[in-house]
Amino acid sequence: MRQKNITLLGGTGSIGQSTLSLIAQHPERYRLFAVSGFSRVELLAQICQQFRPKVVVVPTAEAAAALRALLPQLESELLVGAEALELVASAQEVDIVVAAIVGAAGLLPALAAVKAGKRILLANKEALVMSGQLFMDAVKAYGAELLPVDSEHNAIFQCLPDLGTQFDADTLPNRGVRQILLTASGGPFREFSAEQLAQVTPEQAVAHPNWSMGQKISVDSATLMNKGLELIEACWLFAVQPEQIQVVVHPQSIIHSMVSYADGSVIAQMGNPDMRTPIAYGLAWPERIEAGVKPLDLFQVAKLNFEPADETRFPCLALAKAAFKLGGTAPAILNAANEMAVAAFLARKIRMIDIPELCSRALSQVPAHSADSLEQILQDDQQSRAFCLPELERLAAECVKTH
């Protein structure tokens, strides 16, 4: 068996750490060819020592100097900057690219991997949220394999008929698929009143009850923006419309998503909440490999609960649906505003309930355009961020007054 070379974009985050665990479990199958890290240089140094990648990428010269100070005998080629991410994502030696960089920064390297015809394990939902049609057209044009790593989308993929990795608008209806049931944990504030939501702290928001995730995605889970972005991602991945997807709040996070069929069958994918399961599925597909995940004990779980999502208390989900319906660059505008708002909330400048307010204002006031070019998508992303700066100042001032 030939070892497959892996480029891991975002090696120091939770997805990156889960991926490295799998590489370590299967050294005969996989080798870390390249890895990138953003700010956690000490952890990146540990990765270099253990896995000895051929290439390591950091964002700045300062980060490069810090890594060399930690590892004077660094054997890996050290590259700096965003363009280096695209280089390692498209390198000829690479078989699989794990796209786990959070946010808009992950779009260009993921697209570079697509254009190089790689197998892409997509954990960066923003890439599809921002450039859905353009991205999926490139997947088809360059013969790439796109496998979702988000637990929900991976579950949907597992529950569908064996249709390969590419879909069109007729694929699922022609195979008897009635509806996709996209599960959501509901986050830590599922039962909070509007008054309680106004008092939520960043510490509370990043303490997800089921999953170990980074700060940004944990806040998105708490506001249900994560589920909104996942809904947009599912629409592009499986060539469906929002009306064909129902969001189901399932607090235990045991059923990761379901597919409902015309004959009344509902097929669910279940398992303990551990990202090594969907990553292992993507790495080895269509095979299955050991992932080191504890088997599901149904007797310990005992109960599975389900409820509809509350789009009144958590309006971010409705905003994502609206952005997809508006089309063009509207989802990119929404995503940029959300990234700005979440950063401000984590910095204690605004309240969590201000996040949907800022996103709504950006979506209604920043002009959207056709998303048929990467330049236009990135331009409107920047326009949204520019719009948000004075809005955030206003919200921050109001936040100070209320406290």
Side-chain angles (χ1 to χ4, degrees):
M1 178 187 299
R2 183 182 73 83
Q3 271 187 320
K4 291 186 177 179
N5 285 324
I6 295 175
T7 284
L8 175 53
L9 302 172
T12 58
S14 59
I15 296 293
Q17 291 296 292
S18 293
T19 303
L20 292 169
S21 171
L22 290 161
I23 294 172
Q25 286 180 64
H26 299 280
E28 76 290 352
R29 283 178 172 265
Y30 307 113
R31 176 182 180 271
L32 185 65
F33 172 83
V35 63
S36 76
F38 185 66
S39 60
R40 302 168 71 184
V41 178
E42 289 186 1
L43 181 54
L44 190 60
Q46 293 173 21
I47 294 169
C48 290
Q49 284 181 307
Q50 180 178 355
F51 293 92
R52 301 184 181 279
K54 184 175 180 181
V55 187
V56 58
V57 181
V58 293
T60 62
E62 290 77 13
L67 184 61
R68 287 203 180 278
L70 289 168
L71 293 177
Q73 305 301 319
L74 178 66
E75 298 175 6
S76 307
E77 181 182 0
L78 181 56
L79 300 179
V80 178
E83 288 185 4
L85 296 173
E86 297 180 52
L87 284 175
V88 295
S90 58
Q92 186 176 357
E93 303 97 315
V94 172
D95 301 290
I96 300 171
V97 175
V98 180
I101 294 174
V102 175
L107 170 58
L108 292 179
L111 197 55
V114 168
K115 291 181 177 179
K118 306 300 184 184
R119 171 176 289 194
I120 301 103
L121 273 57
L122 189 66
N124 172 272
K125 62 182 66 66
E126 291 86 356
L128 278 180
V129 168
M130 293 176 67
S131 66
Q133 190 65 61
L134 185 148
F135 196 97
M136 296 308 294
D137 286 349
V139 168
K140 292 180 181 178
Y142 292 96
E145 284 186 326
L146 185 64
L147 291 161
V149 166
D150 270 337
S151 61
E152 295 84 356
H153 303 89
N154 188 271
I156 293 163
F157 186 76
Q158 293 192 49
C159 293
L160 290 173
D162 184 9
L163 301 169
T165 63
Q166 295 187 12
F167 303 84
D168 59 41
D170 297 323
T171 303
L172 299 191
N174 286 344
R175 295 300 292 268
V177 173
R178 176 182 287 159
Q179 191 176 44
I180 289 171
L181 304 174
L182 184 68
T183 60
S185 71
F189 313 124
R190 179 172 56 87
E191 298 179 341
F192 274 37
S193 66
E195 292 74 19
Q196 289 174 303
L197 288 172
Q199 304 301 320
V200 163
T201 66
E203 290 78 12
Q204 290 174 301
V206 301
H208 195 281
N210 301 332
W211 294 95
S212 174
M213 305 185 295
Q215 289 191 328
K216 195 267 182 182
I217 192 172
S218 294
V219 174
D220 283 350
S221 178
T223 64
L224 286 196
M225 179 60 86
N226 189 50
K227 205 52 48 182
L229 299 179
E230 286 180 0
L231 185 143
I232 294 173
E233 182 183 7
C235 287
W236 289 117
L237 281 170
F238 306 114
V240 296
Q241 294 297 312
E243 297 78 34
Q244 295 169 274
I245 301 174
Q246 181 178 355
V247 174
V248 178
V249 174
H250 168 50
Q252 292 86 1
S253 297
I254 295 299
I255 295 178
H256 300 302
S257 274
M258 298 169 272
V259 174
S260 173
Y261 286 85
D263 61 3
S265 299
V266 176
I267 297 178
Q269 190 269 335
M270 305 171 67
N272 285 313
D274 190 318
M275 286 307 298
R276 288 177 295 178
T277 296
I279 296 168
Y281 187 82
L283 287 173
W285 181 83
E287 301 177 56
R288 289 184 187 265
I289 58 173
E290 175 64 46
V293 177
K294 184 180 178 182
L296 181 64
D297 184 342
L298 289 173
F299 300 111
Q300 184 178 2
V301 173
K303 292 182 180 179
L304 300 174
N305 301 100
F306 308 95
E307 59 191 63
D310 186 338
E311 295 184 15
T312 301
R313 282 185 303 136
F314 300 97
C316 286
L317 179 55
L319 287 171
K321 292 179 183 178
F324 185 84
K325 281 297 185 184
L326 284 170
T329 59
I333 290 166
L334 175 68
N335 178 72
N338 181 62
E339 288 188 13
M340 296 284 285
V342 170
F345 168 64
L346 288 170
R348 303 179 189 280
K349 295 178 181 178
I350 65 172
R351 301 169 299 172
M352 193 181 81
I353 59 170
D354 295 326
I355 294 174
E357 179 180 340
L358 181 70
C359 290
S360 177
R361 289 179 65 81
L363 196 58
S364 63
Q365 297 193 36
V366 179
H369 301 89
S370 174
D372 52 6
S373 76
L374 197 56
E375 291 74 20
Q376 186 65 64
I377 292 166
L378 295 175
Q379 181 177 320
D380 285 6
D381 169 274
Q382 291 303 310
Q383 288 293 327
S384 181
R385 293 172 194 273
F387 169 83
C388 288
L389 287 172
E391 292 292 320
L392 282 170
E393 290 182 7
R394 177 182 62 80
L395 288 169
E398 292 177 2
C399 187
V400 170
K401 288 179 184 178
T402 58
H403 288 79

